[in-house]
Amino acid sequence: MRIHLPKKHLADVLSQVERVVPTRSSTPGLHLVHLYNRDNQQLVFQGSNMDIDIEAILNADIEASDVDHFSVPAQVFGQIVRALPGELVELSLDDNELNISSGSFATSLQLADASTSPSLDFPDDYQGTISSSILASAFSHVRYATAVAEYQAIFRGVKLELSDNHTRAIATDGFRLAYYHIETSSGMDANVVIPAKAVDEMTRLLAEGDVQLHVADNQLSLATGAYKLNVKLMEGTFPDYERVIPADFIVSMLIDSKQLTETVKRVALMADQNANNRVDLFLKDGTLQITAEGGYGHSQEALEVSQEGSESQIALAYNAAYLIDALATVSGDMRVSFSGTTSPSLLTSLQDPSYLAMVVPLRTS
Amino acid sequence: MRIHLPKKHLADVLSQVERVVPTRSSTPGLHLVHLYNRDNQQLVFQGSNMDIDIEAILNADIEASDVDHFSVPAQVFGQIVRALPGELVELSLDDNELNISSGSFATSLQLADASTSPSLDFPDDYQGTISSSILASAFSHVRYATAVAEYQAIFRGVKLELSDNHTRAIATDGFRLAYYHIETSSGMDANVVIPAKAVDEMTRLLAEGDVQLHVADNQLSLATGAYKLNVKLMEGTFPDYERVIPADFIVSMLIDSKQLTETVKRVALMADQNANNRVDLFLKDGTLQITAEGGYGHSQEALEVSQEGSESQIALAYNAAYLIDALATVSGDMRVSFSGTTSPSLLTSLQDPSYLAMVVPLRTS
């Protein structure tokens, strides 16, 4: 087969495929991208890393020949295409070579044996549909709260709840929790836990328009624009998060997200990184005093806030990084609500009521 | 003492000092920056990593007290200053603490014991003077050709020749050489070999105006703007580079630097990285053909060039990275002159005749 394509389209697709396909792998053929001629009108790209499969489709005018599919190393193919001198690329197949030419440049890339590669299967029909931007927003607000390394693997995933009347994403590592809830339905009913790495790849592909979703056989599939993904789901029981989110608060304050973030970052420079990066908060009479101390010395800053609640003051401590993370995905005024000195605190955004973050204070005694 | 300073000035100076002073060190006190009150008018900063000493001076209105100097960890001090909320900083000394305050933020940094720190000595008088931009240009044109790891340590340095009528910088790793020669004198006479890392720090500090130079006791000292550096020189004999630069050529070509660079980069994607990243050049009848082949396949590109010389053609091979490096610091038309298929080739810039690069071809048989 022979194909003429704009370099940019080919480079964009290969960049996405390269994000999934590993550069090297002990599994034979896993570093390959497989290309197919579909009806002389579409060039189909497929690749996998065993946990995530990707398919991309480029519309193209394809001159058919006996050979209608081939496999080449994804990274090398991508590097060549990005370096091409012209705006247009010609791909043509010899017996055992892919010829890539553009302007006065030409290269011949040896075809790889794909007989040992896993065969990939993407659904034709999907169960539900939701706006790409809503799903991307849900993922990007909660992703930070997944555990990096935890004895329970399930903490390294994001729970996605799809129901008749809402869509919800939750992540927690046991010390903090992030939650994003939208009253928009995908028209399907499923509760799945997606590995954090797969959440990142899904988020990256979610651009304009809608995304179609499908859950079957411990796999979540999505289709958006020119791309399809299959994602292997996590097994196990996600913690009963609703039980731990407090509903009663003794004190709360309103404060600008950016101001609180910058102050915590500044004060925490003196915090002891070997002691949970501890910062102390003392709220009284509309003044929030933030302090830290460690081996290098101590620091403090006071902020004026709008204070409410039955108690006149509260003193408690947090891991500074948890506060900073919880504030990173929102802007504008935040309400920080304290349920007690040892029970979880809630951070909610006045601009985006879909978002809620919970942080457990440090034990200070 | 008590000092009021613009945050920006203090942050700039600390960033430069932090580049030299190590974050951690097994040598006691090496991670510290030492500050002195000089005549109640200047705040003097000093630090070292044993190979490079740095001094910086900030003009400031200093309220004197009994204690007129102190030492604190450079990195922590720098981090705090960069995070300060206000435009102005107040520094004040307690018995054993440096108080840093800005806006509503205040921190107290414990003073460190500097009694074990090496004492630093910067010259008051300098032997020579040259334009900072000329010296920076000389260094930045040749730095790339230093050896990364080589059995002869001297290859890891840049030779600086200061004479009555010229200033010259040279670097070589035995396979290629870079040379920068200016008919401008610093008014002093010295030949020194400077470690590549020290060259980088010197280049970074060379901004506007002139730089003063001094060589004594196997140490190069420089003073430019608010900064002084002492740099430990390398010992040993730098190779006799003038002997190896060829003067007679059988063929040469004129070609745009950027065009040649991009073509070599593109073609070299197919080169075998385990075989010196080899690219082949074939020049004939005003056409330069560049080819490469390796495990993934092969590639080629042809460029029109302006050709001269007694021979009608030449075929030879290079390490692609050496060609790319030699072209990276120049733009516009280059003359590439070939002395033979196994003897060194020269690259010179028509726009900047001060620069010359030599590359030894690969043995192709």
Side-chain angles (χ1 to χ4, degrees):
Chain A
M1 61 190 187
R2 182 188 301 273
I3 312 137
H4 291 88
L5 279 170
K7 169 190 165 182
K8 190 185 176 316
H9 295 181
L10 187 56
D12 286 351
V13 162
L14 286 172
S15 294
Q16 297 290 358
V17 171
E18 280 178 76
R19 292 200 51 85
V20 171
V21 172
T23 307
R24 286 182 195 78
S25 170
S26 56
T27 307
L30 209 60
H31 67 298
L32 301 175
V33 55
H34 313 286
L35 285 89
Y36 304 90
N37 169 5
R38 186 177 284 167
D39 305 329
N40 296 337
Q41 296 179 336
Q42 292 183 324
L43 189 60
V44 182
F45 301 69
Q46 289 189 351
S48 176
N49 62 19
M50 306 295 269
D51 293 320
I52 307 173
D53 307 331
I54 187 168
E55 179 181 276
I57 290 175
L58 270 185
N59 293 321
D61 219 7
I62 305 177
E63 281 177 49
S65 64
D66 289 351
V67 190
D68 67 349
H69 67 274
F70 64 92
S71 301
V72 288
Q75 194 196 25
V76 179
F77 190 18
Q79 284 176 336
I80 293 170
V81 169
R82 285 188 288 276
L84 293 176
E87 302 280 308
L88 279 175
V89 189
E90 181 185 289
L91 305 178
S92 66
L93 277 184
D94 272 351
D95 281 353
N96 54 7
E97 286 182 333
L98 168 66
N99 299 306
I100 309 164
S101 64
S102 178
S104 58
F105 173 82
T107 193
S108 299
L109 191 56
Q110 283 181 24
L111 302 186
D113 175 14
S115 61
T116 57
S117 301
S119 90
L120 305 177
D121 192 22
F122 295 86
D124 291 319
D125 296 314
Y126 287 77
Q127 297 155 338
T129 303
I130 194 170
S131 148
S132 292
S133 64
I134 285 180
L135 188 59
S137 182
F139 284 150
S140 58
H141 277 84
V142 306
R143 165 65 175 87
Y144 72 86
T146 57
V148 176
E150 189 61 42
Y151 61 99
Q152 281 186 277
I154 201 79
F155 282 104
R156 295 199 290 264
V158 169
K159 187 180 190 197
L160 180 64
E161 294 182 10
L162 303 165
S163 89
D164 279 353
N165 53 28
H166 73 261
T167 301
R168 187 185 287 177
I170 312 101
T172 180
D173 63 4
F175 303 103
R176 33 84 177 270
L177 178 146
Y179 168 104
Y180 201 84
H181 174 102
I182 326 111
E183 303 282 338
T184 300
S185 170
S186 54
M188 62 187 283
D189 204 345
N191 286 331
V192 297
V193 183
I194 310 164
K197 277 194 163 186
V199 168
D200 294 340
E201 293 313 321
M202 291 171 69
T203 307
R204 217 177 305 271
L205 284 180
L206 293 169
E208 296 168 358
D210 285 340
V211 52
Q212 293 182 283
L213 300 170
H214 190 88
V215 176
D217 301 331
N218 205 33
Q219 177 175 289
L220 169 68
S221 298
L222 68 84
T224 183
Y227 297 95
K228 290 183 176 181
L229 285 185
N230 296 327
V231 170
K232 195 180 277 178
L233 294 170
M234 300 182 80
E235 298 183 57
T237 307
F238 199 80
D240 181 6
Y241 63 89
E242 288 183 283
R243 198 177 49 80
V244 298
I245 300 176
D248 298 316
F249 304 98
I250 53 173
V251 197
S252 72
M253 62 179 183
L254 275 185
I255 187 167
D256 178 69
S257 169
K258 189 176 169 210
Q259 194 182 19
L260 181 56
T261 300
E262 288 183 354
T263 301
V264 171
K265 279 186 182 170
R266 224 170 2 241
V267 173
L269 288 172
M270 284 290 122
D272 189 343
Q273 291 179 9
N274 297 320
N276 292 313
N277 214 7
R278 171 177 166 170
V279 289
D280 280 83
L281 274 66
F282 179 56
L283 174 63
K284 186 183 180 185
D285 298 336
T287 297
L288 175 68
Q289 184 87 28
I290 306 182
T291 55
E293 65 179 304
Y296 291 116
H298 52 94
S299 55
Q300 77 265 357
E301 185 164 347
L303 296 171
E304 300 307 304
V305 302
S306 168
Q307 181 181 341
E308 288 174 9
S310 58
E311 297 287 323
S312 66
Q313 64 179 65
I314 191 165
L316 71 184
Y318 299 101
N319 182 326
Y322 289 1
L323 285 182
I324 292 164
D325 285 348
L327 295 163
T329 54
V330 282
S331 58
D333 279 348
M334 299 293 296
R335 182 184 307 279
V336 185
S337 307
F338 307 96
S339 67
T341 54
T342 56
S343 52
S345 309
L346 277 199
L347 293 88
T348 51
S349 162
L350 270 57
Q351 284 186 11
D352 186 355
S354 301
Y355 176 67
L356 177 157
M358 190 186 89
V359 180
V360 179
L362 291 173
R363 288 176 185 278
T364 57
S365 57
Chain B
M1 62 190 190
R2 182 188 301 270
I3 311 137
H4 292 88
L5 279 170
K7 169 189 165 183
K8 189 183 175 319
H9 296 182
L10 187 56
D12 287 350
V13 162
L14 286 172
S15 293
Q16 298 290 359
V17 171
E18 279 178 76
R19 293 200 50 85
V20 171
V21 171
T23 307
R24 286 180 195 79
S25 170
S26 56
T27 306
L30 208 59
H31 67 298
L32 301 175
V33 56
H34 314 286
L35 285 90
Y36 304 90
N37 170 7
R38 186 176 285 167
D39 304 329
N40 296 338
Q41 295 180 336
Q42 293 183 321
L43 189 60
V44 182
F45 301 68
Q46 289 187 350
S48 176
N49 62 20
M50 307 294 269
D51 293 318
I52 307 173
D53 306 332
I54 186 167
E55 179 181 277
I57 290 175
L58 270 184
N59 292 321
D61 219 8
I62 306 178
E63 282 177 48
S65 65
D66 290 351
V67 191
D68 66 351
H69 67 273
F70 63 92
S71 303
V72 287
Q75 193 196 25
V76 178
F77 191 18
Q79 284 176 336
I80 293 170
V81 169
R82 285 189 288 277
L84 292 176
E87 303 281 306
L88 279 174
V89 189
E90 181 185 292
L91 305 178
S92 66
L93 277 185
D94 271 353
D95 282 351
N96 54 7
E97 286 181 332
L98 168 67
N99 300 306
I100 308 164
S101 62
S102 178
S104 58
F105 173 82
T107 193
S108 299
L109 190 57
Q110 282 180 25
L111 302 186
D113 174 13
S115 61
T116 59
S117 301
S119 92
L120 304 177
D121 193 20
F122 296 85
D124 291 320
D125 297 314
Y126 288 77
Q127 297 155 340
T129 303
I130 194 169
S131 146
S132 292
S133 63
I134 285 180
L135 188 59
S137 183
F139 284 151
S140 58
H141 277 85
V142 306
R143 165 67 174 88
Y144 72 86
T146 57
V148 175
E150 189 61 42
Y151 61 97
Q152 281 187 277
I154 201 80
F155 281 105
R156 296 200 289 265
V158 169
K159 187 179 189 199
L160 180 65
E161 294 183 11
L162 303 165
S163 90
D164 279 352
N165 53 27
H166 73 259
T167 301
R168 188 185 287 178
I170 312 101
T172 180
D173 63 4
F175 303 103
R176 32 87 178 268
L177 179 147
Y179 169 104
Y180 200 84
H181 174 102
I182 325 110
E183 302 283 338
T184 300
S185 171
S186 54
M188 61 187 283
D189 204 346
N191 287 332
V192 298
V193 183
I194 310 163
K197 276 193 164 185
V199 168
D200 293 340
E201 293 314 321
M202 290 170 70
T203 308
R204 217 177 305 271
L205 283 181
L206 293 169
E208 295 166 359
D210 286 338
V211 53
Q212 293 182 281
L213 301 170
H214 190 87
V215 176
D217 301 332
N218 203 33
Q219 178 175 289
L220 169 68
S221 298
L222 69 84
T224 182
Y227 297 95
K228 290 183 176 181
L229 286 185
N230 295 328
V231 170
K232 196 180 279 178
L233 295 170
M234 298 180 80
E235 298 184 56
T237 307
F238 198 79
D240 182 6
Y241 63 89
E242 288 183 282
R243 197 176 51 80
V244 297
I245 299 176
D248 299 316
F249 304 100
I250 53 174
V251 198
S252 72
M253 63 179 183
L254 276 184
I255 187 167
D256 178 69
S257 168
K258 190 177 171 210
Q259 195 183 18
L260 181 56
T261 301
E262 289 184 354
T263 300
V264 171
K265 279 186 182 172
R266 229 176 347 249
V267 172
L269 288 172
M270 284 289 122
D272 189 343
Q273 291 180 10
N274 297 322
N276 292 313
N277 216 6
R278 170 177 168 171
V279 288
D280 281 83
L281 273 66
F282 178 56
L283 175 63
K284 187 184 179 184
D285 299 337
T287 298
L288 175 69
Q289 184 87 25
I290 306 181
T291 54
E293 63 179 307
Y296 291 118
H298 52 94
S299 55
Q300 79 265 357
E301 185 163 348
L303 295 172
E304 300 307 304
V305 301
S306 168
Q307 183 181 340
E308 287 174 9
S310 58
E311 296 286 322
S312 66
Q313 64 178 65
I314 192 165
L316 71 185
Y318 298 102
N319 182 327
Y322 289 1
L323 285 181
I324 293 164
D325 285 348
L327 294 163
T329 54
V330 282
S331 57
D333 279 347
M334 299 293 296
R335 183 183 307 280
V336 186
S337 307
F338 306 96
S339 68
T341 54
T342 56
S343 53
S345 310
L346 276 199
L347 293 88
T348 51
S349 162
L350 270 58
Q351 284 187 12
D352 187 353
S354 301
Y355 176 66
L356 177 156
M358 191 187 86
V359 180
V360 179
L362 293 174
R363 290 179 183 276
T364 57
S365 57

